[in-house]
Amino acid sequence: MTTPALAANHPNLVAIMPPKRRLFVAITVFLLSVLTFPLIILAWPDHIRWIPLLFVIMAGWYLYLLPATVAAHRGHHQFLAIFLINLFFGFSILGYFGPLVWACTAIQPKWMARV
């Protein structure tokens, strides 16, 4: 992890981002762009009424991926498992709240996670 001073002075924050977080950000941006791009095309310029729906879908994806976002932000050692369970089973109650609770559990230090 970087210190705030280093992050503030570094021109490319993605380069110093941990690999798991980079993967999560890339997949999230891809999903948001693939799912919202057709709505942007529909909304420009004749169908202005679709623009609020675009924001609702983007907010919905953020809430859907909230457990993975919490795990990525905390640097959880089981981030990939939390992300995949959340992505594929997040539509169910257990598939959403299970990874959310798991993402909030204690994080093992790096030296313990390798053993």
Side-chain angles (χ1 to χ4, degrees):
M1 207 66 182
T2 61
T3 61
L6 177 63
N9 295 328
H10 202 281
N12 188 0
L13 292 177
V14 175
I16 59 174
M17 192 180 296
K20 288 180 183 177
R21 195 172 294 174
R22 272 186 272 169
L23 175 68
F24 173 70
V25 168
I27 291 173
T28 304
V29 168
F30 175 75
L31 286 174
L32 286 175
S33 62
V34 165
L35 294 173
T36 57
F37 184 72
L39 291 176
I40 293 172
I41 297 300
L42 287 174
W44 200 269
D46 297 328
H47 304 287
I48 297 297
R49 65 175 187 242
W50 292 101
I51 291 177
L53 180 62
L54 174 72
F55 290 112
V56 168
I57 289 174
M58 289 173 57
W61 267 107
Y62 176 76
L63 289 175
Y64 185 80
L65 294 173
L66 184 64
T69 305
V70 170
H73 179 69
R74 295 186 69 224
H76 202 282
H77 61 281
Q78 292 290 336
F79 164 74
L80 188 58
I82 293 170
F83 173 70
L84 291 175
I85 291 172
N86 180 221
L87 183 65
F88 293 115
F89 301 107
F91 59 88
S92 67
I93 293 172
L94 187 60
Y96 184 80
F97 288 106
L100 185 60
V101 170
W102 190 8
C104 295
T105 58
I107 301 170
Q108 287 183 351
K110 297 272 185 202
W111 62 272
M112 286 183 70
R114 294 182 188 161
V115 175

